Amino acid sequence: MEFPLIEVERKFVPSVDVDQVLMESGAQFVSDERFTDLYVDNTDWALTLRNHWLRRRDRRWELKCPVATSAHGPEPELDNLTQRYLEVYPEPEIICKVSDLMGIDSSSLCSVNDLLIQAELLEFAKFTTERRCFELPAGVTAVLDRTDFGWSVGELEIMCKDQGEVERAVTTLEHLARDLGLEIGPNTIGKMSAYLRQNNPAHYKRLLEARVLFEK
Ligand code: V4E
């Protein structure tokens, strides 16, 4: 796919019978996946403190960038269960965005590997996820993730082509989550939050202070 898509995503705590709940709501099981994510940042956490997440998922580099919420939308603290992120895959676009953000000259950079060296980006997290994927009506995907460090989380997702589709997607996901009785609770945090809380409390604390991550 050539153009970047906006991922609208709503996390939930998977109950023991979540597969059944999804199937009874018309979901179809699509696939089992297994992938390893390796996240990088510099020693000042220049990317993640700006809510930019550069990772290599198996062999492909991916950049997740925040998308501005609607002027009429709720405050981030109230709205942080439904996330909106631009997903960027082509390496030239990743190089361009990260270089701009970090104020570095990208003219000699041919690959993300070159960028890592120039911007002094180092691995700060690496974990493997087992994912079960389901398709639901209205273009919704549900995924159930379990990581190799013992964290489980569910996500409802809609991929949007442009900003105009985003607020409708947020509403669709909120209604669906409510109708399915999907749990939001103190444990409704994503894999990265759980990983940093467990493995790098200093980084986790700075991201909470910067209001990039939130505790539920
Ligand atoms: C965007 C983000 C991070 C990067 C990982 O994003 P996430 O969607 O959790 O990962 P994953 O593996 O499910 O990606 P997918 O396969 O869906 O593309 S780490 C933290 N954030 C921001 C963030 C936030 N502020 N609050 C919540 C609840 N989640 C994520």
Side-chain angles (χ1 to χ4, degrees):
M1 200 143 321
E2 289 305 316
F3 49 89
L5 293 173
I6 300 170
E7 179 193 57
V8 179
E9 172 188 288
R10 165 63 155 80
K11 295 188 195 301
F12 59 91
V13 180
S15 59
V16 284
D17 63 345
V18 65
D19 285 52
Q20 196 185 334
V21 170
L22 290 173
M23 303 295 256
E24 282 172 4
S25 74
Q28 298 219 346
F29 173 73
V30 179
S31 60
D32 277 319
E33 295 174 5
R34 184 173 196 271
F35 50 84
T36 298
D37 288 321
L38 179 155
Y39 286 84
V40 297
D41 202 348
N42 72 2
T43 52
D44 294 330
W45 303 318
L47 293 180
T48 53
L49 285 175
R50 294 183 176 102
N51 205 2
H52 283 63
W53 302 87
L54 177 56
R55 71 183 174 206
R56 199 184 65 212
R57 174 161 290 181
D58 292 334
R59 300 175 66 124
R60 179 172 78 165
W61 284 101
E62 306 178 343
L63 178 67
K64 291 182 86 144
C65 314
V67 175
T69 51
S70 143
H72 306 295
E75 295 298 308
E77 293 89 332
L78 302 176
D79 197 31
N80 61 355
L81 286 172
T82 305
Q83 300 288 318
R84 307 132 168 95
Y85 281 89
L86 194 67
E87 298 202 332
V88 182
Y89 305 126
E91 293 209 11
E93 280 181 43
I94 292 177
I95 292 168
C96 189
K97 281 189 182 292
V98 171
S99 300
D100 278 357
L101 202 65
M102 299 185 75
I104 59 171
D105 176 13
S106 64
S107 54
S108 65
L109 305 179
C110 300
S111 67
V112 172
N113 284 329
D114 290 346
L115 173 70
L116 300 190
I117 295 165
Q118 179 80 9
E120 300 182 336
L121 298 170
L122 302 168
E123 172 188 325
F124 69 89
K126 185 177 180 184
F127 51 84
T128 296
T129 300
E130 307 271 0
R131 168 170 286 184
R132 287 169 59 67
C133 304
F134 299 81
E135 269 175 17
L136 290 95
V140 178
T141 300
V143 303
L144 304 175
D145 286 347
R146 181 166 181 79
T147 67
D148 60 358
F149 61 92
W151 192 253
S152 294
V153 66
E155 299 172 353
L156 296 177
E157 301 176 351
I158 296 178
M159 301 305 291
C160 299
K161 287 195 290 298
D162 56 52
Q163 188 71 37
E165 295 181 6
V166 167
E167 293 314 315
R168 194 167 57 240
V170 171
T171 306
T172 301
L173 295 186
E174 288 303 327
H175 286 170
L176 183 61
R178 191 194 54 204
D179 293 349
L180 297 181
L182 298 177
E183 189 187 340
I184 313 165
N187 291 324
T188 317
I189 62 171
K191 299 186 289 294
M192 175 56 69
S193 299
Y195 180 92
L196 290 178
R197 190 171 64 180
Q198 193 170 310
N199 296 291
N200 194 336
H203 192 176
Y204 180 66
K205 183 164 173 278
R206 282 292 290 119
L207 290 166
L208 289 181
E209 287 165 357
R211 304 166 86 79
V212 171
L213 298 182
F214 297 93
E215 280 188 323
K216 305 295 181 305

